[in-house]
């Protein structure tokens, strides 16, 4: 059984080993295409689940990576949309991100760590953190790409 879950792995761009046997790679998409700039985009996850409704047991994973879509605007045929995905237009982005976070938290074991990546290009980090209603233990406080670390256990959750 794998101990690490990446719920929206995309093209696994920040992995050193894109086939790491410890990680269950999940994404709602499966893609193999050439981008407008000539690069090839391959999204080939182990599983294709919506991160808001994961079929895993409560507390199943020791480490969860949550890198949800962070764009509200991107051209229909843009490489940004293809690579990073777009938040649904017909849903409140805050509720969408919170449902995903809550589902990740449910699947995270006691004493486990959740790592969340967020780009602030279109939605401020402050607004995203208010949406998930959880304060990270630590993370980046500057720049457009933010990494947040959440630890499940002890007094932080109380």
């Amino acid at each position: 059984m794998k101990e690490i879950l990446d719920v929206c792995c995309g093209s696994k761009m920040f992995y050193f080993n894109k086939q790491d046997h410890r990680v269950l790679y999940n994404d709602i998409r499966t893609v193999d295409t050439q981008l407008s700039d000539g690069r090839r985009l391959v999204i080939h996850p182990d599983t294709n689940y919506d991160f808001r409704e994961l079929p895993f047991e409560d507390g199943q994973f020791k480490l969860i990576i949550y890198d949800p879509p962070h764009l509200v605007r991107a051209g229909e045929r843009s490489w940004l949309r293809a690579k990073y995905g777009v938040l649904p237009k017909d849903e409140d982005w805050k509720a969408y991100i919170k449902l995903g976070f809550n589902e990740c938290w449910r699947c995270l074991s006691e004493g486990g760590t959740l790592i969340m990546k967020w780009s602030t290009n279109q939605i401020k980090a402050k607004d995203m953190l208010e949406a998930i209603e959880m304060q990270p233990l630590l993370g980046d406080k500057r720049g457009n790409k933010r990494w947040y670390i959440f630890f499940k256990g002890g007094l932080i959750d109380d």
Side-chain angles (χ1 to χ4, degrees):
M1 181 186 306
K2 304 203 181 212
E3 298 177 313
I4 302 168
L5 172 65
D6 186 333
V7 296
C8 19
C9 68
S11 62
K12 306 174 190 173
M13 65 185 126
F14 45 77
Y15 283 91
F16 291 99
N17 177 359
K18 296 179 187 314
Q19 305 302 322
D20 193 306
H21 70 279
R22 298 169 295 181
V23 182
L24 178 62
Y25 299 100
N26 179 74
D27 203 290
I28 201 165
R29 308 169 294 160
T30 298
V31 175
D32 189 343
T33 191
Q34 188 167 348
L35 300 173
S36 58
D37 65 2
R39 291 179 294 158
R40 184 157 208 80
L41 175 65
V42 177
I43 299 173
H44 185 69
D46 300 323
T47 56
N48 293 106
Y49 301 120
D50 183 327
F51 60 70
R52 298 169 299 162
E53 295 181 47
L54 298 169
F56 307 116
E57 295 177 21
D58 293 0
Q60 184 171 335
F61 297 95
K62 293 181 180 181
L63 174 62
I64 295 181
I65 297 94
Y66 182 43
D67 179 13
H70 54 270
L71 299 171
V72 290
R73 299 175 310 279
E76 288 299 320
R77 296 179 47 204
S78 75
W79 68 269
L80 279 173
R81 176 183 288 269
K83 191 166 183 176
Y84 300 111
V86 177
L87 292 163
K89 288 182 181 182
D90 59 342
E91 291 185 52
D92 172 35
W93 73 263
K94 291 178 180 181
Y96 184 85
I97 294 300
K98 181 168 178 44
L99 282 169
F101 185 90
N102 288 350
E103 189 65 352
C104 290
W105 200 253
R106 179 191 66 77
C107 295
L108 187 64
S109 66
E110 194 67 27
T113 302
L114 187 151
I115 299 172
M116 182 175 185
K117 182 177 136 302
W118 187 257
S119 171
T120 62
N121 286 336
Q122 294 184 9
I123 299 173
K124 295 177 185 176
K126 174 183 158 293
D127 295 338
M128 181 279 298
L129 290 171
E130 286 176 5
I132 64 170
E133 299 176 334
M134 180 84 71
Q135 174 133 2
L137 176 64
L138 62 114
D140 297 352
K141 294 185 179 182
R142 288 187 254 186
N144 290 339
K145 189 187 301 177
R146 305 286 178 90
W147 291 90
Y148 295 109
I149 312 300
F150 299 86
F151 179 73
K152 187 175 186 177
L155 298 177
I156 292 176
D157 296 329
D158 297 333

